[in-house]
Amino acid sequence: MELLSGLLSSLGLSGAAGLNAYVPLLVVGLLSRAGVMHLNEPFNLLSNPWVLLVIGIIGLLDFVGDKIPGIDTALHLVGGVVNTAAGAVLFAAQAGVADVPPALSLALGVIVAGGVHATRTAVRPVATVGTGGLANPVVSTLEDGTSLLLSLLAVFVPVLAVILLAAVTVVGYRLWTRLRGRRRAL
């Protein structure tokens, strides 16, 4: 049962990293620092105060920049690497998946975070063009809030995190196909 819970938690955290790399890293680091969760070596570095400070500062810059059309596009390009790497680290960091080979954990994290990030990156330009950039702050805030909710659910109620992750993926895909269809009609 611990393996299943750990896998579900890992899926939720890596999916959250696909939306915002810094939120789940901060959540996991802070919860580990508070003794709420355990991280195996070397992932326990996430609870180091200096690491948390750096993640927090970069996350704050990303939070602000992601609300600005044009800058958000550049951040999403960089995020293709950062988000997938964060997803891989978060997937592998879970103590409950110790029985899963590390290479497989990292690969699964890359696939989940990369898939969520790719969906996010595909939807955002369509929303930007469709609204003249006016929806960017709203969409970005929704992404950040969903990442936070996914992160917390992944730690405390992993089954709900995976259900939310599936719903986010379906909604993102449907939104992308709908917006893409409208853009073609114009």
Side-chain angles (χ1 to χ4, degrees):
M1 191 65 176
E2 184 179 326
L3 177 62
L4 178 61
S5 177
L7 286 170
L8 294 176
S9 180
S10 296
L11 285 169
L13 287 169
S14 59
L19 291 171
N20 182 319
Y22 310 102
V23 168
L25 288 171
L26 280 172
V27 166
V28 166
L30 290 170
L31 289 176
S32 176
R33 185 147 184 81
V36 174
M37 66 184 301
H38 171 75
L39 296 175
N40 290 332
E41 294 274 343
F43 305 107
N44 61 347
L45 281 172
L46 288 174
S47 63
N48 179 295
W50 292 105
V51 172
L52 287 169
L53 180 64
V54 169
I55 291 170
I57 290 170
I58 295 171
L60 181 62
L61 294 172
D62 178 76
F63 178 82
V64 172
D66 197 39
K67 310 297 185 269
I68 303 167
I71 292 175
D72 67 335
T73 303
L75 289 172
H76 288 184
L77 291 174
V78 172
V81 174
V82 173
N83 292 51
T84 54
V89 166
L90 288 162
F91 198 105
Q94 289 301 293
V97 295
D99 297 337
V100 177
L104 179 59
S105 291
L106 291 169
L108 289 171
V110 165
I111 291 167
V112 173
V116 171
H117 184 72
T119 303
R120 170 190 184 209
T121 303
V123 169
R124 184 64 79 85
V126 177
T128 300
V129 169
T131 65
L134 296 175
N136 285 34
V138 174
V139 172
S140 177
T141 302
L142 284 172
E143 292 168 351
D144 296 337
T146 303
S147 181
L148 178 60
L149 179 60
L150 260 175
S151 299
L152 294 171
L153 286 174
V155 173
F156 297 111
V157 193
V159 171
L160 289 180
V162 172
I163 292 169
L164 178 59
L165 180 60
V168 165
T169 303
V170 168
V171 168
Y173 176 76
R174 286 185 177 173
L175 181 62
W176 178 71
T177 56
R178 181 180 296 160
L179 292 173
R180 199 179 95 210
R182 284 184 187 168
R183 193 173 71 175
R184 283 186 181 171
L186 296 175

